[in-house]
């Protein structure tokens, strides 16, 4: 293990690459009928070993993928909004970061708003459960639709580039009660970036813990859609159970996150689609 004496606190930037929308009450109890915007978060971790992304957001190829056959149902339920210049790879290019500079992509899970930009980064290893990738590639028809999978979004060489998170070194992260069943794994040798299982929304669902200059940041993906789920127990509308892989597991993860948040008020928690929470953490990171 490396790292030495130097305490690495990678600079983190939060981008959003497109968005979809749901009625507010789908996202959380009492949320009203007004549509709520669900931005597609992409976190950029500028680690000395290379640029790490957490998720890849939407890209125009998602709109094309939902334009055919049964996948049109997906597009009707979750309208994809992404404009020219808004994809992760284009936003990174404007910052002087080439697609090939991205060495690692951690996918919270395999839904289109997290996966859409993956094909734009040909050099990155892809941290995701290989079993989920295999299942997705072999899926079809209603089974595929019910899982929210669009296999066309996977790069052709995905199998060669997948890195099983459980093959990484297990680490003690101060995240109890999370991790008591399924341990966290270090993505980099200095321990500043840690992959954290957050199952329920989907089997393969991951979070990412990053030690930043403004404190530890736990990127939650879709473990919750809104911070109020953690702080106030506001779970989504019951209809969301239909698209949640394991509802009991989902609820357990939310309860564990609530306990964690009470025990560690210093920890920054960030769901992928909570516009206010994203703006808050963006402000903290920009001021650092
Ligand atoms: Zn999502």
């Amino acid at each position: 293990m490396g790292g030495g004496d130097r305490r690495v606190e990678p600079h983190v930037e939060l981008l959003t690459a497109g968005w979809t929308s749901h009625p507010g009450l789908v996202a959380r109890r009492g949320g009203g009928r007004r549509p709520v915007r669900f931005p597609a978060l992409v976190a950029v971790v500028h680690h000395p070993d290379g640029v790490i992304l957490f998720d890849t957001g939407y890209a125009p190829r998602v709109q094309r993928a939902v334009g055919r056959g049964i996948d049109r149902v997906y597009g009707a339920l979750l309208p994809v909004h992404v404009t020219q210049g808004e994809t992760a790879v284009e936003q990174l290019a404007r910052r002087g970061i080439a697609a090939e500079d991205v060495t690692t992509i951690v996918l919270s899970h395999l839904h289109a708003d997290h996966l859409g930009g993956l094909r734009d980064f040909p050099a990155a290893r892809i941290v995701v459960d290989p079993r989920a990738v295999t299942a997705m590639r072999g899926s079809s028809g209603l089974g595929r639709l019910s899982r929210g999978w669009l296999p066309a979004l996977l790069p052709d060489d995905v199998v060669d580039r997948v890195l099983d998170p459980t093959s990484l070194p297990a680490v003690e992260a101060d995240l109890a009660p999370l991790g008591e069943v399924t341990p966290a794994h270090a993505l980099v040798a200095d321990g500043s970036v840690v992959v954290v299982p957050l199952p329920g929304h989907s089997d393969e669902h991951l979070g990412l813990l990053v030690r930043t200059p403004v404190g530890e940041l736990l990127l939650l993906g879709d473990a919750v859609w809104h911070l109020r789920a953690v702080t106030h127990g506001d779970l989504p509308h019951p209809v969301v159970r239909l698209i949640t892989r394991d509802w009991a597991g989902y609820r357990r993860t939310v309860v564990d996150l609530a306990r964690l948040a009470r025990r560690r008020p210093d920890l920054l928690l960030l769901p992928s689609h909570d516009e206010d929470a994203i703006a808050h953490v963006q402000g903290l990171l920009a001021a650092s």
Side-chain angles (χ1 to χ4, degrees):
M1 300 289 282
D5 296 320
R6 198 167 56 93
R7 186 177 161 83
V8 177
E9 293 177 340
H11 176 57
V12 176
E13 284 181 284
L14 302 178
L15 316 177
T16 61
W19 55 281
T20 187
S21 63
H22 295 299
L25 58 79
V26 172
R28 68 178 176 88
R29 212 183 300 137
R33 288 178 188 279
R34 204 171 52 86
V36 172
R37 195 185 268 244
F38 269 48
L41 179 70
V42 179
V44 186
V45 180
H46 299 269
H47 190 274
D49 291 353
V51 176
I52 300 165
L53 301 186
F54 181 67
D55 287 333
T56 60
Y58 277 129
R61 67 176 63 85
V62 182
Q63 288 162 327
R64 292 194 293 273
V66 297
R68 295 187 289 262
I70 199 168
D71 297 326
R72 278 181 293 197
V73 176
Y74 191 112
L77 292 173
L78 294 166
V80 181
H81 301 272
V82 61
T83 54
Q84 173 103 40
E86 209 186 358
T87 62
V89 72
E90 290 167 304
Q91 293 191 60
L92 289 172
R94 289 200 292 275
R95 289 162 165 76
I97 298 169
E100 293 74 21
D101 296 337
V102 175
T103 56
T104 307
I105 294 173
V106 180
L107 293 172
S108 64
H109 62 299
L110 294 170
H111 285 159
D113 46 337
H114 304 259
L115 182 62
L118 187 64
R119 279 179 172 270
D120 294 323
F121 300 97
R125 58 186 182 158
I126 302 162
V127 180
V128 64
D129 184 341
R131 292 169 301 178
V133 171
T134 302
M136 183 176 180
R137 281 160 56 93
S139 65
S140 61
L142 270 179
R144 186 176 83 200
L145 182 67
S146 70
R147 300 289 289 269
W149 280 343
L150 298 168
L153 302 179
L154 291 170
D156 299 338
D157 61 352
V158 63
V159 171
D160 300 328
R161 289 161 57 200
V162 161
L163 175 63
D164 185 344
T166 63
S167 71
L168 296 162
V171 283
E172 294 266 344
D174 181 16
L175 295 176
L178 282 182
E180 284 171 356
V181 180
T182 321
H185 291 86
L187 188 60
V188 291
D190 58 64
S192 61
V193 188
V194 169
V195 179
V196 182
L198 297 173
H201 179 73
S202 63
D203 296 336
E204 74 280 12
H205 196 283
L206 298 173
L208 196 70
L209 179 70
V210 188
R211 190 166 63 212
T212 82
V214 296
E216 284 196 322
L217 170 64
L218 180 56
L219 299 159
L220 298 176
D222 285 10
V224 292
W225 280 341
H226 200 284
L227 259 194
R228 283 185 64 92
V230 177
T231 56
H232 293 72
D234 287 354
L235 289 176
H237 191 276
V239 73
V240 173
R241 293 181 193 203
L242 296 175
I243 56 151
T244 302
R245 180 73 176 148
D246 168 14
W247 184 251
Y250 179 88
R251 290 190 56 170
R252 203 177 314 120
T253 292
V254 175
V255 167
D256 285 354
L257 285 170
R259 291 203 184 114
L260 170 62
R262 281 196 295 274
R263 187 176 68 74
R264 285 202 51 195
D266 62 298
L267 185 64
L268 295 167
L269 298 175
L270 186 58
S272 281
H273 305 308
D274 184 332
E275 216 167 21
D276 295 337
I278 292 170
H280 172 69
V281 178
Q282 269 173 334
L284 294 175
L285 291 167
S288 70

